[in-house]
Amino acid sequence: MKTNCSCGGATGSDTRKTTVVQTTGPLTFRQRIVKTVRWLLPGITLALLPKCPICLAAYVALGTGIGLSVTAATWLRTGLVVLCIGSLTYLVLNKVLSAYKRHRQG
């Protein structure tokens, strides 16, 4: 029986290889822009999202030429709100967990 699989990992063992990503040096300009956009995009979307489904349907019609029913606009608005709040929650939890890990390491 083979003890190693074709990828080089030991088969049948509970130990797993973990790779720690270490950041060295300051972030590049592109990385800073991406980090900023990750926070701004859901926040701005929530701030500019109209409360009225008819207004959302009108904005979609003006921007794309596609007409939406009130029901579809309501579902779209609800989906956007859930998506934005979910992504902001993920970003906050990711930030808190990384700060906690840094605190525990040193």
Side-chain angles (χ1 to χ4, degrees):
M1 177 184 236
K2 290 172 64 175
T3 57
N4 290 331
C5 69
S6 60
C7 67
T11 58
S13 69
D14 290 335
T15 59
R16 295 184 181 145
K17 294 180 183 176
T18 57
T19 305
V20 177
V21 177
Q22 296 179 354
T23 58
T24 56
L27 296 175
T28 64
F29 180 72
R30 183 173 180 264
Q31 289 171 330
R32 286 183 292 183
I33 294 294
V34 168
K35 282 182 77 170
T36 304
V37 168
R38 282 184 185 168
W39 282 94
L40 287 178
L41 191 62
I44 290 173
T45 302
L46 273 177
L48 295 179
L49 192 64
K51 294 180 180 92
C52 173
I54 297 171
C55 294
L56 179 64
Y59 289 156
V60 170
L62 285 173
T64 64
I66 299 171
L68 292 177
S69 67
V70 176
T71 305
T74 302
W75 281 100
L76 178 64
R77 184 185 178 286
T78 304
L80 284 172
V81 168
V82 168
L83 185 69
C84 290
I85 290 175
S87 64
L88 285 172
T89 303
Y90 169 77
L91 289 170
V92 167
L93 288 176
N94 193 15
K95 192 77 154 174
V96 168
L97 287 175
S98 67
Y100 178 73
K101 286 179 184 178
R102 275 193 310 249
H103 176 72
R104 296 270 306 190
Q105 285 180 354

